[in-house]
Amino acid sequence: MEDAIRAFVTFLEVERGASRETIRGYRSDLRQFLSYAGTLRPAAASALTPQEVDPLTIRGYLAWLDRKKEKKASLARKLAALRSFFRFMTREGLAGQNPAAEVRTPKQPQYLPRVLTKDDANALMEFPEGDDLSARRDRAILETLYSTGARVSELVGMNVEDLNRSDGLVRLRGKGRKERIVPIGTVALEALREYHASLRPSAISHQLSARSDTPVFTNNRGGRLTARSVERIVEKYSRRLSGGSVSPHALRHSFATHLLDEGADLRAIQEMLGHASLATTQKYTHLATDHLLEVYDRAHPRAGRPSGVRPGTGTTRP
């Protein structure tokens, strides 16, 4: 199994072009399963082989995780890792069948992602105050996340050469290193311009400008900013919102929902988010109630909503 896991990780890295985070997650999940399966074997037994794993072993593993109070989403992810691993093993002729394919995915709790109101999103953009380098960088990060709907991994992977300022576009590298071009608003571009103007006089910027992969966002040492650092920045400012702190992904959800509220086409939103399936994007239709109510009020002859009342809020428009 150890050799098989190494072969699978090489496949993910070389042929699939998976990110370091994805590879690290698969490796961790598979080794945890290997550790569990090892507890079921006699001490003197030989090393476990992929052919010896059956559906019963995998179901026992999921039950063990459940007893450890692992979240259902975590169980589903670990099962998906095993399915991918044994699919690879089967294709390479190293296993006769995929035992994980016969195991049902644990039922997931249904929930809607946290979405900021437009007022909260606007307020969040204003929280980084001052003209020092840190404040300018943080403003640029928040504006870029909200303007493009980028994942945090895509944000930190952005290079200066990916920005097309004249056309208002940016290249993002998504899951599986798939690239897409998305619009970026003038407010975000101005925030980036101010941030980079602060960098130019420094020795760091001269050092970075000599490289072809100059990161858009850097840390205090001039290196590429990490995803964890961005998460801390978003949490720091969003803590001041009435609903409490949010993750960078909440800005991605807000980006999609607010576009849908304003009548954007679902297919266009799918392209901007980089979703492979429209079904993934359709969850935002549950969040765009303002837009749906406006359509209802405009189209239904007996909607009967009082004039001047904002749909869904009961409050009068200013």
Side-chain angles (χ1 to χ4, degrees):
M1 279 288 288
E2 281 284 5
D3 291 341
I5 291 172
R6 280 193 289 271
F8 178 61
V9 166
T10 300
F11 161 74
L12 291 175
E13 188 173 18
V14 176
E15 295 190 36
R16 290 277 296 275
S19 67
R20 273 183 289 184
E21 290 79 8
T22 298
I23 292 171
R24 190 182 303 118
Y26 272 111
R27 185 189 289 117
S28 174
D29 289 343
L30 291 172
R31 284 182 173 165
Q32 184 187 45
F33 170 74
L34 180 58
S35 176
Y36 163 80
T39 66
L40 306 179
R41 300 168 65 80
S46 58
L48 181 71
T49 65
Q51 294 88 342
E52 294 177 276
V53 178
D54 58 20
L56 188 62
T57 305
I58 296 175
R59 290 191 185 98
Y61 171 59
L62 295 178
W64 174 72
L65 292 171
D66 189 55
R67 288 194 297 272
K68 291 178 61 179
K69 308 298 182 184
E70 291 260 8
K71 293 180 179 179
K72 299 295 184 184
S74 178
L75 269 62
R77 189 197 74 239
K78 293 173 191 291
L79 177 58
L82 287 169
R83 282 177 179 158
S84 296
F85 170 71
F86 281 106
R87 191 183 305 122
F88 169 76
M89 289 291 100
T90 302
R91 189 168 62 245
E92 295 296 311
L94 302 174
Q97 60 179 355
N98 186 343
E102 301 179 31
V103 180
R104 183 178 300 176
T105 301
K107 189 173 182 180
Q108 302 296 302
Q110 297 298 311
Y111 68 94
L112 294 176
R114 168 111 182 251
V115 173
L116 299 178
T117 65
K118 292 171 188 175
D119 287 343
D120 277 349
N122 288 329
L124 179 60
M125 301 300 114
E126 302 296 327
F127 285 156
E129 298 173 342
D131 284 325
D132 61 293
L133 179 59
S134 178
R136 288 187 173 193
R137 183 198 63 187
D138 295 353
R139 272 197 302 272
I141 286 172
L142 294 173
E143 291 285 2
T144 303
L145 284 170
Y146 183 46
S147 180
T148 63
R151 300 177 179 94
V152 66
S153 59
E154 295 168 345
L155 181 95
V156 299
M158 284 171 52
N159 296 324
V160 172
E161 62 186 13
D162 295 324
L163 287 169
N164 184 336
R165 299 174 189 273
S166 58
D167 293 337
L169 299 170
V170 62
R171 181 192 296 114
L172 299 177
R173 295 171 186 82
K175 295 180 177 179
R177 296 183 186 173
K178 293 180 181 177
E179 294 186 359
R180 67 185 188 280
I181 305 295
V182 301
I184 181 169
T186 55
V187 178
L189 284 172
E190 177 60 20
L192 285 166
R193 187 196 65 77
E194 291 180 355
Y195 166 49
H196 289 154
S198 299
L199 276 176
R200 279 196 196 102
S202 70
I204 292 174
S205 68
H206 291 303
Q207 177 185 351
L208 291 173
S209 63
R211 303 198 324 238
S212 60
D213 60 342
T214 304
V216 171
F217 297 104
T218 60
N219 56 32
N220 294 334
R221 298 180 301 278
R224 190 179 296 275
L225 202 64
T226 65
R228 184 66 192 110
S229 294
V230 173
E231 289 167 359
R232 282 194 289 262
I233 289 167
V234 174
E235 182 182 2
K236 168 187 171 183
Y237 293 108
S238 63
R239 202 179 295 131
R240 296 164 61 180
L241 297 172
S242 58
S245 64
V246 298
S247 69
H249 218 65
L251 289 173
R252 179 172 160 86
H253 293 318
S254 303
F255 161 86
T257 304
H258 296 168
L259 280 175
L260 196 58
D261 278 344
E262 297 300 323
D265 179 74
L266 199 61
R267 288 281 184 187
I269 296 174
Q270 177 192 0
E271 290 293 325
M272 286 186 276
L273 292 175
H275 287 159
S277 168
L278 185 64
T280 308
T281 316
Q282 283 175 331
K283 65 184 175 184
Y284 295 105
T285 60
H286 301 295
L287 305 171
T289 53
D290 278 358
H291 174 63
L292 294 176
L293 286 170
E294 284 171 4
V295 171
Y296 176 80
D297 288 346
R298 188 168 58 247
H300 198 287
R302 297 180 69 84
R305 207 174 293 273
S307 176
V309 173
R310 189 190 303 276
T313 65
T315 60
T316 303
R317 289 187 177 89

